[in-house]
Amino acid sequence: MRSAVLLLGLLALAACGPAWAPPNAPTRPCDIIDAAAFNAARESGAAVGRARIYESGMVDLSNGPGVSHCATYSSTMRPCRRPNDYVIEYTQADGAVFYVHVPANTEYRFNVRAAPNTCQIILAPAQQ
């Protein structure tokens, strides 16, 4: 039983792909796109997330079916990478909406202190 749970955990992490970044790796905000680009990416098979930012600063991120994340509640700084594009619709406390895009095979993570765009692209050593 214990080995089955371990195997499931490893498979879930493997779905995110390899990640090299230490917690202090430099980042930049994920690219902001318009609603048309968000919808086009979604229709082309991108993974889709929806984030709600509350006045308290809390961010609630939910993803579509079949989307798993590398980050956890206790470790949101853990880097992720997925084989397909990833787009997120953010709704701010005042109701304003914006969209972001993470290209396929790009390493990213979430940083709640960077709100409203908590999605951060991790810069590879060659990009620094």
Side-chain angles (χ1 to χ4, degrees):
M1 175 68 176
R2 187 175 195 164
S3 61
V5 171
L6 178 60
L7 179 61
L8 286 174
L10 291 174
L11 288 174
L13 292 176
C16 295
W20 67 269
N24 63 345
T27 61
R28 68 169 178 79
C30 293
D31 296 329
I32 294 178
I33 59 174
D34 62 19
F38 172 84
N39 289 325
R42 189 184 58 173
E43 290 170 9
S44 296
V48 177
R50 301 206 188 271
R52 176 103 183 135
I53 303 170
Y54 295 92
E55 288 183 22
S56 66
M58 187 179 119
V59 180
D60 181 25
L61 174 65
S62 61
N63 289 292
V67 177
S68 60
H69 257 301
C70 300
T72 65
Y73 181 75
S74 61
S75 177
T76 58
M77 292 299 286
R78 181 181 177 154
C80 300
R81 182 184 308 213
R82 61 179 73 245
N84 58 330
D85 285 0
Y86 179 42
V87 291
I88 306 168
E89 177 187 77
Y90 280 91
T91 302
Q92 299 181 74
D94 65 2
V97 175
F98 68 96
Y99 307 91
V100 301
H101 174 247
V102 178
N105 295 310
T106 299
E107 201 163 5
Y108 68 97
R109 66 176 160 222
F110 296 98
N111 180 356
V112 73
R113 293 180 300 239
N117 187 354
T118 62
C119 180
Q120 303 288 299
I121 301 290
I122 299 170
L123 301 176
Q127 296 174 311
Q128 299 174 17

